[in-house]
Amino acid sequence: MLFNVYNCKGADNCPPFFAGLCPASHQGRCPCTLPKGRSSLWNPATRRTIYETSICSPLTVHFSIEKILSVCYTCNGDYMYCISINHKNAPSEVRGRFALTEDKIINAEKTLAEHGIAQSVIVCTCNRTELYFVGEDRCCADTAAEVLAECAQQEIGDISVYLRTYYNEKALRHLFRVTCGIDSMIIGEDEILRQIKEAYSQAHSGGFTGFELNTIFQSAIACAKRIKTDTALSKTPVSWATLAANEASALSANVNVLMIGASGKIGSSALKNLLAHRNVNVTATVRAKDIGSVIQGVRAVPYSERYKYADEADCIISATASPHYTLTAKALSAVLKTPKPRLLIDLAVPPDIERSAASLSGVRLMNIDDFGSLAEENNSVRLGSIEQAEEIISEDICDLQKKLAFHDFMPFIGDFRSRLSDIGADGLLYLLRDDLGSAEFSAVLEALKKTGGK
């Protein structure tokens, strides 16, 4: 808590005491009982120095200038965390274990709340599963990791090597970089912003966000939009669907593609990209009741008949959210009769296509991780925009931290105003001088000069 109240057992009035250094043995003692001059009280529980700033009265109020200026806390002593499993530290097989359904995400957020972690957002895509949350101390990160592992039905000891934990400003920066596409395998890809929005919206609707995560995620989303507008990072949007369609269209002058999962988020995007290529003919599997609703130019067939159309296909793309294989090696070997090269593209995590299908004659199988090399050319073109995007991120994080710090201080502004009337502007400047580093104090003075000049 920012303000700590002690009963003053000394005189009714005494000179003001300004910030400085004093032994921890002074903890909890009224400055009236200390030697005259500078005094401060170190609170080991909060790792903060409590400064006496007022003329003593029956109740002496102490407040921490360090707390006012600090942005290490998001609010009320809470910390911002991110636990991440992503394409940089875990293969697709491991990421597939954390491909959480919407129900599992909601249950995980409920479990976290039961453990005292009231604010959480879980982002789950083909390349990452990330848990963002606000907690009271670093111990809660262990609890959050265990909840995430349990939700994915994994033993924490088996997956801890793949976990990356970001803390406070690093957690903020990681979220901002992810949201604008800098941290994606395909730099600047345009799917991640939508996925972040949906994850945040789901958590917000479930009541799992408060002022802190609301402000943080809204700031990250706004920053990503600014970067898309002000830089060339996403001028020509590229996604997994774009790369898959390009790879398919390059097979020959006339390509037959069987698209499985065309009604899903990734699948529908892949379908649109395929139709942009004039040399591609698309057959898409759909649920029986949706046969008549497929867009023009696509032959729609029931999902149950997918193997019937596999032999005529030069390329099969699968992008579903199914927990089971949509294509198995055994079933494919029974239907692929025409000898010709075939490309199987698996855009799902967990995988849709059994990996052993790659051993079938003429078959080449690509999954999400295999697209890394294809993304390199796209990434090299966008490298020049990353530095500009990072500068924008730094600016927006600075504004965000000030907003969080100010919100944290707002409940005490009346008490601060009252105390300030006691010590005056000079007293506050002495506090700041003794508490801040030279660069910080100089920055404060410069800001005050500008304010005084208005």
Side-chain angles (χ1 to χ4, degrees):
M1 193 169 191
L2 188 59
F3 284 80
N4 294 316
V5 180
Y6 299 88
N7 284 319
C8 178
K9 298 179 181 179
D12 287 340
N13 292 286
C14 68
F17 292 87
F18 299 115
L21 298 176
C22 79
S25 61
H26 291 157
Q27 169 65 31
R29 292 173 58 189
C30 172
C32 292
T33 66
L34 302 179
K36 289 184 178 181
R38 297 176 180 174
S39 67
S40 67
L41 307 177
W42 173 254
N43 186 337
T46 60
R47 301 180 66 82
R48 282 289 182 269
T49 306
I50 307 300
Y51 298 104
E52 162 58 18
T53 66
S54 69
I55 297 175
C56 287
S57 60
L59 287 179
T60 302
V61 180
H62 307 270
F63 79 94
S64 171
I65 289 294
E66 192 173 6
K67 173 66 173 175
I68 295 173
L69 298 173
S70 172
V71 291
C72 289
Y73 293 129
T74 56
C75 183
N76 295 327
D78 290 345
Y79 301 81
M80 167 71 176
Y81 293 90
C82 170
I83 296 176
S84 175
I85 300 172
N86 61 61
H87 64 94
K88 293 182 178 179
N89 55 50
S92 58
E93 184 273 325
V94 173
R95 301 198 305 274
R97 303 179 208 168
F98 290 85
L100 308 179
T101 63
E102 183 174 327
D103 288 342
K104 284 187 175 182
I105 289 175
I106 293 173
N107 287 335
E109 291 169 339
K110 286 181 179 177
T111 303
L112 289 166
E114 291 168 0
H115 283 81
I117 302 174
Q119 296 190 60
S120 63
V121 175
I122 297 177
V123 177
C124 190
T125 75
C126 59
N127 270 327
R128 66 183 69 245
T129 296
E130 296 186 331
L131 167 57
Y132 296 89
F133 63 99
V134 174
E136 293 182 354
D137 54 53
R138 297 199 182 198
C139 294
C140 69
D142 295 333
T143 300
E146 290 170 1
V147 170
L148 188 61
E150 182 180 349
C151 181
Q153 298 180 316
Q154 301 293 310
E155 293 293 331
I156 188 66
D158 296 336
I159 54 92
S160 59
V161 66
Y162 301 111
L163 300 180
R164 297 292 182 272
T165 302
Y166 302 92
Y167 169 69
N168 279 340
E169 184 169 346
K170 289 185 177 180
L172 294 177
R173 185 169 294 276
H174 180 73
L175 172 62
F176 276 61
R177 296 181 89 254
V178 168
T179 306
C180 74
I182 289 179
D183 200 66
S184 297
M185 186 182 290
I186 304 174
I187 294 175
E189 56 107 347
D190 54 353
E191 287 292 320
I192 188 64
L193 178 56
R194 173 187 60 78
Q195 292 163 334
I196 292 289
K197 286 179 179 178
E198 291 178 353
Y200 164 62
S201 177
Q202 177 179 301
H204 179 67
S205 299
F208 301 113
T209 63
F211 175 84
E212 292 74 34
L213 285 191
N214 287 336
T215 304
I216 289 167
F217 271 82
Q218 289 167 14
S219 296
I221 291 168
C223 180
K225 292 178 179 178
R226 179 184 170 196
I227 287 172
K228 286 181 178 294
T229 301
D230 296 351
T231 76
L233 193 68
S234 302
K235 290 300 182 185
T236 306
V238 177
S239 65
W240 303 111
T242 306
L243 295 179
N246 291 345
E247 196 72 6
S249 68
L251 290 175
S252 65
N254 188 49
V255 184
N256 294 318
V257 175
L258 174 61
M259 180 74 229
I260 300 174
S263 60
K265 293 174 182 176
I266 300 297
S268 60
S269 180
L271 180 60
K272 291 177 183 177
N273 278 276
L274 286 169
L275 294 176
H277 296 273
R278 294 183 178 181
N279 66 321
V280 173
N281 309 302
V282 181
T283 298
T285 67
V286 296
R287 292 169 295 188
K289 64 178 183 179
D290 296 330
I291 290 290
S293 62
V294 177
I295 60 178
Q296 186 176 4
V298 176
R299 178 174 63 169
V301 299
Y303 171 78
S304 59
E305 298 181 11
R306 62 195 181 282
Y307 285 110
K308 178 181 177 181
Y309 297 90
D311 185 54
E312 68 182 48
D314 303 299
C315 174
I316 304 176
I317 300 175
S318 189
T320 77
S322 171
H324 310 294
Y325 290 130
T326 57
L327 297 172
T328 65
K330 182 177 180 180
L332 282 173
S333 66
V335 299
L336 298 183
K337 301 299 184 181
T338 305
K340 64 176 179 178
R342 285 187 178 84
L343 174 62
L344 308 185
I345 299 178
D346 191 345
L347 295 179
V349 177
D352 274 352
I353 304 175
E354 189 175 17
R355 180 162 284 278
S356 56
S359 63
L360 299 177
S361 177
V363 169
R364 178 165 64 99
L365 173 62
M366 297 183 69
N367 63 19
I368 286 288
D369 288 347
D370 295 323
F371 279 93
S373 57
L374 294 179
E376 288 179 1
E377 181 178 351
N378 162 79
N379 294 348
S380 63
V381 173
R382 286 165 166 73
L383 287 178
S385 300
I386 292 180
E387 184 176 349
Q388 185 182 359
E390 292 280 17
E391 291 177 358
I392 293 174
I393 288 174
S394 294
E395 291 173 4
D396 284 8
I397 287 179
C398 181
D399 290 341
L400 168 63
Q401 288 176 316
K402 288 188 287 187
K403 185 182 296 184
L404 292 170
F406 191 73
H407 175 267
D408 191 11
F409 182 61
M410 280 302 294
F412 311 104
I413 196 164
D415 296 293
F416 173 71
R417 188 180 292 114
S418 176
R419 297 282 68 81
L420 186 59
S421 67
D422 290 336
I423 66 171
D426 290 347
L428 180 60
L429 285 173
Y430 279 116
L431 286 171
L432 293 171
R433 182 198 66 183
D434 293 340
D435 188 59
L436 300 177
S438 60
E440 294 169 320
F441 186 58
S442 296
V444 170
L445 293 179
E446 288 301 317
L448 291 175
K449 287 178 185 177
K450 293 178 181 178
T451 303
K454 291 182 180 180

